[in-house]
Amino acid sequence: MRRIVDRVSQVPMLAVTVISVFPIALLWGVRWGWTPFQRTWLPSIGQSVVVAVVVATVVPMVVDVASDLLHGKAGVDVLAIMALVSTLLVGQYWASWAVALMVWSGDAIERYANGRATSSLNALVSAAPRQAHVVTLRGVGSSGRARDVDGWRSTGDSISRGGLSSTQSPQPDSGIDDHFRTVPVDEVGVGDVVLVLPGEIVPVDGSLLSVSAILDLSSINGESVPREVFAGARVLSGAVNGATAITVKATRVSADSQYQRILAMVADAQESRAPAVRIADSLAVPFTVASLLIAGVAWALSGTPLRFAQVLVLATPCPLLIAAPVAFVAGTGRLARAGILVKSQDALEALAHVGHVFFDKTGTLTSTVPQVVGVDMVPGSVRPQGLSGEWDADRILELAGVVETYSVHILAKGMARAGSEASGRRRGNHRRPVVTGVREDAGNGIQADVDSVQVRVGRSGFVSDQDAGGVKDVHGWRPLEPDEMVAYVSCDGALAARVVMRDLPRANSRSTLDALRGMGVDLTMVTGDRAESARVIADEVGIDDVRADLLPQDKVAVVSGGGAGRSRSRTATMMVGDGVNDAPVLAAADVGMAMTDGTATAAADSAPAVIMNDDIASVYRALSIARRTTRVMLQAVVGGLLLALLGMVAAAFDLIPVVVGAFLQEGIDVVSILWALTALVDVPHPTSVVDDGDVLVPHLA
């Protein structure tokens, strides 16, 4: 009931027009009392109600048309105005009332359609953080630490009072309300410490001061499982805090934070108009001229002005004016639900015409983080004193993984993950190793004492006290493949093993590329890596056209030239990349698509389309949604116009009565607009591309 009231309040004249049918019908034959003209042209009381409704409808439309003309736009409402006036002049009062109903119900339908089309985008906007709790303790600010103030004590980088850690939810009687103030999010400055309560949205980008936090990033990158982060981790605005209060040191003001960047892209997309929509707008004027021509010819041939009115009640360009933009806004919202943001509707339309996709290799077709693919132990290597258990590949991985946990090197994450998995496989080992003396030599390796055994991981010359040249020639070790890399492991100065790693293709890279190829899209890999390494990955994911050893400017030249075997049916090119060096080529392509995990990057800034969930399958989804959106838009516009033209021709031959024609036109408009809304419907896709059928942003779906 509340929804109905809201709809009526948005278009009150629709309710007035509908209710007016009762006095019109009841007072249709009642005259205005005794007058000298009561039996002549003066309308009855019921008919006068129709006149009042028409006047209330025509006046604002005339104002809008005049405003459009003053701003250099064509006033396309002129057809509806002429239909209202002409039906009154020929005495077709019920037809006039029906046209007025058509005008106001069309306004209501347009509002409904736009609301549905923008629902996903509006959900993003409505969820934007608007306030923040800034900690007001003395000594808390740019330093990010709390000093002993008013009974509060510092515990590392977390704030506590009387033993209450900032990672715990504050209780009403804890006194915590006395130590922060709630301000508009725009007032948060860099270096301020912000308290985020359970269930609240992180207001600005910052670094975590609390020991740990559980964050829901679904509104940023569609990641369905909350992520646990630890002290010092980067925290993005828009993330939803878990069940405990946390403190965050602001590293960016609100305007520069991640969520505001997302909202800026959404706003740009909503305000922009696709070329197809602009073309549809320009076609409204020829349609108006054609409608007036048909109506005029019908009047001239029939000799009755009624025929003119019959034609005009069927002539409104709603399919052009409403259906086209509704379809594109709906498509933009559908992309947002799938974790893909476009910065303009131009980009959405360009996506629909992509015939050639260029992929960067590292981080796009591959998983970015090199993975462990094998461990080669030194023959005769023995377990160092002080270590217990079996001396095998899993033990080596466990030791290396523990040490690499403290490293920032590109190989560290993959090795730390492999070490954790190896530790889980080792039965009976439930004690966490004691790690001390961590020291990293940038570019060479990292070392630490693990259970009193010195473990080194890195380059051959760094890890071993032996001659570096002899390390690489250990008997029994296989030659490395072109795309493989190694990290050597030593214990107490003696070489123990080498860990072989590869940047493996993403699990769904090949299936996604196969699906794209099935759409008729040409595929090319462009990379700065060596040709041998590039070819290994290309063979695994199924790409034949490989351009390797390219500098950023070389990539721009390849993509600008269209590549080899460019599709003839579709002309646009698209570049998909994730790195800083991809920014120039993303900007140079007809459509640049940046793959991110929701964080801001140079690639995302340069690209008109951004994948927020770091899922390569979203490339296929984006093209599918864009093509469907364009197809739905054309169907809605062309279908609506054809039905209107057929109706006008039939009315010109007196086959459609004027009242019937008014309601028929309303039906045509409703069908066109509702059909345009089907762009919101999920796009079918091969089940091999993704597991769950879609990666939705949960609170937007």
Side-chain angles (χ1 to χ4, degrees), residues 423-465:
S423 179
R425 290 192 296 266
R426 296 184 67 243
R427 298 179 180 178
N429 183 26
H430 302 292
R431 185 181 64 84
R432 185 176 180 84
V434 177
V435 181
T436 58
V438 178
R439 182 175 66 84
E440 184 163 16
D441 185 352
N444 288 313
I446 185 170
Q447 71 177 44
D449 293 333
V450 182
D451 290 340
S452 300
V453 174
Q454 185 188 72
V455 179
R456 296 180 185 176
V457 184
R459 294 180 180 273
S460 58
F462 172 79
V463 303
S464 177
D465 297 334

Side-chain angles (χ1 to χ4, degrees), residues 264-353:
M265 286 191 283
V266 169
D268 290 343
Q270 287 182 302
E271 293 174 3
S272 66
R273 296 179 73 79
V277 175
R278 294 194 291 269
I279 292 172
D281 288 347
S282 65
L283 289 176
V285 175
F287 179 82
T288 300
V289 174
S291 300
L292 292 174
L293 183 61
I294 294 173
V297 171
W299 184 359
L301 294 179
S302 65
T304 172
L306 176 60
R307 201 65 57 80
F308 183 83
Q310 279 181 290
V311 173
L312 286 188
V313 296
L314 279 154
T316 59
C318 284
L320 285 170
L321 301 180
I322 303 176
V326 162
F328 272 94
V329 174
T332 304
R334 180 67 190 88
L335 285 170
R337 285 174 53 200
I340 307 159
L341 293 180
V342 292
K343 300 177 183 178
S344 70
Q345 292 183 18
D346 286 14
L348 173 58
E349 185 170 357
L351 281 171
H353 296 92

Side-chain angles (χ1 to χ4, degrees), residues 27 76 97 149-150 166 215 264 266 300 329 353 367 399 414 430 457 521 527 626 630 642 669 676:
L27 303 174
V76 293
W97 177 86
V149 180
D150 296 334
S166 66
L215 300 176
V266 169
V329 174
H353 296 92
S367 59
L399 292 172
H430 302 292
V457 184
V521 175
T527 178
T630 301
L642 285 178
D669 291 347

Side-chain angles (χ1 to χ4, degrees), residues 537-606:
I537 297 296
D539 290 341
E540 292 185 13
V541 300
I543 288 185
D544 296 325
D545 187 16
V546 180
R547 312 297 180 88
D549 297 309
L550 299 179
L551 296 174
Q553 59 267 31
D554 299 326
K555 293 183 181 180
V556 170
V558 171
V559 174
S560 299
R566 185 165 178 171
S567 174
R568 291 170 297 187
S569 59
R570 297 180 183 271
T571 58
T573 59
M574 181 168 78
M575 174 66 194
V576 184
D578 74 313
V580 173
N581 64 332
D582 296 324
V585 68
L586 286 169
D590 294 327
V591 186
M593 180 168 283
M595 286 187 60
T596 76
D597 60 356
T599 59
T601 63
D605 291 339
S606 303

Side-chain angles (χ1 to χ4, degrees), residues 155-431:
T155 55
D157 276 344
S158 63
I159 302 171
S160 65
R161 175 184 170 126
L164 174 66
S165 170
S166 66
T167 58
Q168 295 176 303
S169 179
Q171 301 300 319
D173 59 350
S174 68
I176 193 171
D177 290 342
D178 299 333
H179 298 285
F180 72 82
R181 58 190 176 92
T182 301
V183 301
V185 68
D186 294 338
E187 295 183 12
V188 178
V190 174
D192 285 346
V193 174
V194 176
L195 177 70
V196 186
L197 299 177
E200 287 189 338
I201 298 175
V202 177
V204 294
D205 290 0
S207 59
L208 183 66
L209 298 182
S210 300
V211 176
S212 64
I214 303 294
L215 300 176
D216 177 1
L217 302 178
S218 58
S219 63
I220 300 174
N221 60 13
E223 187 174 328
S224 57
V225 179
R227 181 188 300 180
E228 183 176 13
V229 295
F230 300 94
R234 182 184 181 190
V235 179
L236 298 176
S237 61
V240 179
N241 185 28
T244 58
I246 60 173
T247 50
V248 176
K249 179 181 178 181
T251 55
R252 287 183 178 178
V253 297
S254 172
D256 296 332
S257 291
Q258 178 63 24
Y259 204 82
Q260 293 300 324
R261 296 165 70 93
I262 293 175
L263 295 184
M265 286 191 283
V266 169
D268 290 343
Q270 287 182 302
E271 293 174 3
S272 66
R273 296 179 73 79
V277 175
R278 294 194 291 269
I279 292 172
D281 288 347
S282 65
L283 289 176
V285 175
F287 179 82
T288 300
V289 174
S291 300
L292 292 174
L293 183 61
I294 294 173
V297 171
W299 184 359
L301 294 179
S302 65
T304 172
L306 176 60
R307 201 65 57 80
F308 183 83
Q310 279 181 290
V311 173
L312 286 188
V313 296
L314 279 154
T316 59
C318 284
L320 285 170
L321 301 180
I322 303 176
V326 162
F328 272 94
V329 174
T332 304
R334 180 67 190 88
L335 285 170
R337 285 174 53 200
I340 307 159
L341 293 180
V342 292
K343 300 177 183 178
S344 70
Q345 292 183 18
D346 286 14
L348 173 58
E349 185 170 357
L351 281 171
H353 296 92
V354 166
H356 199 140
V357 180
F358 296 83
F359 287 94
D360 179 51
K361 180 179 79 70
T362 305
T364 304
L365 292 172
T366 64
S367 59
T368 305
V369 179
Q371 306 295 312
V372 173
V373 295
V375 176
D376 297 326
M377 299 189 66
V378 173
S381 174
V382 296
R383 185 183 68 221
Q385 292 184 357
L387 294 180
S388 60
E390 297 182 4
W391 185 242
D392 55 12
D394 278 349
R395 186 63 164 141
I396 294 291
L397 279 178
E398 183 183 33
L399 292 172
V402 168
V403 175
E404 288 286 7
T405 302
Y406 298 90
S407 174
V408 296
H409 192 269
I410 188 174
L411 301 181
K413 280 188 177 181
M415 198 171 299
R417 183 182 304 162
S420 177
E421 294 172 354
S423 179
R425 290 192 296 266
R426 296 184 67 243
R427 298 179 180 178
N429 183 26
H430 302 292
R431 185 181 64 84

